[in-house]
Amino acid sequence: MQSSLLQFKSAASVPQASKTSGHETVTRRARRPAILLSSRILFYPKPPRSVQPTANPNAYKILVVDDDPDIVELLEYNLRKEGYEVASAPDGRKALEIAPQFGPDIILLDVMMPNLDGIAACRQLREMPKFKETYIIFLTARAEEFSEVAAFEAGADDFIAKPIKPRALMSRLAAFVRRDKDPLVQTDSIEINGLKIDRTGFAVFQNGRKINLPKKEFELLAFLAASPHKVFGREELLQNIWGNDVFVLARTVDVHVRKVREKVGDHHIQTIKGVGYKFNTDN
């Protein structure tokens, strides 16, 4: 029995041969290239499965502008996985060529790029009527104060420092899409990072604990929280909270922001020096 089994294994391991006109022809089965993982294991790799672009005609279009191909590939993969239609450009000059044809709803724009940097590209995009309301987010490793100021002065809506966290970026984009689809709907309450703002009851709750705010402090907090990550200048806040009929100094905004921070925490309202304030949803 053991002898027969050995003969069977030996025969199975030898390719079948046949003699033709005195010559021996050996037929071997084609195999995929193998990777030797150890002396006993051979691994036959399969090609990676690509993420196919969305076929949804109503999908939001995002233009990724960055000279780093690894970052572009990372963003394209995650964006397409979330259902967005994506195009990319390696620099600002190419972005200005692609944008009018592609018609993006959102532009992710790097600052430091060859040919034309992100600041200059943003200014030129904002000069085009088609892109005056397009949501533009700067993605950059330069987190210095002057870079943020320059970005917002050029017309940016948001500013994210590298390294990019895909999950946080996807969450921010999803929030923009929700607001963009139904901009007139104003919810009665806002809940962000344990902070609940009840518009109808003029009440604020921090992790279930009620915080009492005077009317103007509440209106300031609710106004900023209604448009998270959007930067508002002092003059714009004065007009929306205090109105044009009351004379107040720009420093009034700073004082109210300081008082709100003392009660709800410093991390909810972020200062963009030289520009203004924004509500921060990041932990």
Side-chain angles (χ1 to χ4, degrees):
M1 180 69 177
Q2 185 173 2
S3 175
S4 300
L5 182 60
L6 290 174
Q7 291 177 1
F8 174 77
K9 287 184 177 181
S10 176
S13 62
V14 177
Q16 296 296 320
S18 61
K19 292 184 178 180
T20 306
S21 302
H23 297 282
E24 185 176 349
T25 302
V26 179
T27 304
R28 292 183 175 87
R29 186 174 55 187
R31 292 183 178 180
R32 286 178 291 171
I35 299 175
L36 182 63
L37 298 181
S38 71
S39 60
R40 294 185 177 183
I41 302 175
L42 287 176
F43 172 62
Y44 294 90
K46 293 182 179 180
R49 183 178 298 175
S50 61
V51 177
Q52 296 299 324
T54 177
N56 182 3
N58 298 319
Y60 275 65
K61 296 181 178 181
I62 299 181
L63 175 61
V64 179
V65 187
D66 200 303
D67 61 331
D68 188 331
D70 292 333
I71 291 178
V72 172
E73 183 179 1
L74 171 68
L75 292 175
E76 285 183 334
Y77 174 85
N78 284 277
L79 291 169
R80 288 188 174 127
K81 190 169 66 172
E82 293 297 320
Y84 296 105
E85 185 176 344
V86 187
S88 62
D91 54 60
R93 185 177 299 171
K94 194 67 177 177
L96 293 174
E97 298 176 7
I98 295 175
Q101 304 171 12
F102 182 59
D105 304 292
I106 302 169
I107 299 176
L108 304 180
L109 190 60
D110 188 24
V111 173
M112 300 298 295
M113 293 183 294
N115 297 324
L116 188 67
D117 62 65
I119 303 294
C122 184
R123 287 198 183 99
Q124 294 188 38
L125 286 166
R126 289 303 192 202
E127 291 174 358
M128 303 179 189
K130 187 175 182 179
F131 302 113
K132 285 191 177 295
E133 301 299 327
T134 302
Y135 193 54
I136 298 179
I137 303 177
F138 272 97
L139 308 174
T140 180
R142 300 184 61 178
E144 296 91 342
E145 177 186 322
F146 76 89
S147 295
E148 292 193 28
V149 173
F152 288 119
E153 287 181 346
D157 295 291
D158 206 349
F159 188 100
I160 301 177
K162 296 177 182 178
I164 300 167
K165 299 177 181 178
R167 184 177 298 181
L169 176 61
M170 297 306 125
S171 176
R172 193 169 297 187
L173 294 175
F176 164 76
V177 170
R178 287 195 300 269
R179 296 194 307 271
D180 187 63
K181 285 183 176 179
D182 207 349
L184 299 179
V185 173
Q186 191 177 63
T187 58
D188 293 335
S189 65
I190 302 172
E191 294 188 42
I192 302 176
N193 292 343
L195 186 69
K196 180 179 179 181
I197 303 172
D198 183 358
R199 296 174 182 272
T200 57
F202 270 79
V204 177
F205 299 88
Q206 180 81 43
N207 296 322
R209 179 177 62 89
K210 185 175 182 179
I211 301 174
N212 295 316
L213 295 179
K215 185 173 184 291
K216 289 303 178 186
E217 292 178 21
F218 176 85
E219 290 177 350
L220 175 63
L221 178 64
F223 181 80
L224 290 171
S227 302
H229 297 292
K230 179 176 174 58
V231 180
F232 294 95
R234 290 174 178 83
E235 293 297 328
E236 189 174 1
L237 291 171
L238 286 173
Q239 292 177 7
N240 284 278
I241 306 302
W242 282 268
N244 296 321
D245 298 332
V246 180
F247 177 76
V248 289
L249 299 175
R251 291 291 298 173
T252 302
V253 175
D254 301 333
V255 173
H256 280 72
V257 168
R258 177 175 57 81
K259 291 181 177 179
V260 171
R261 283 171 170 167
E262 290 174 353
K263 297 169 184 175
V264 302
D266 295 338
H267 61 287
H268 290 298
I269 300 179
Q270 181 181 347
T271 301
I272 307 299
K273 292 185 178 180
V275 183
Y277 299 98
K278 71 174 182 176
F279 192 89
N280 186 20
T281 61
D282 296 334
N283 292 320

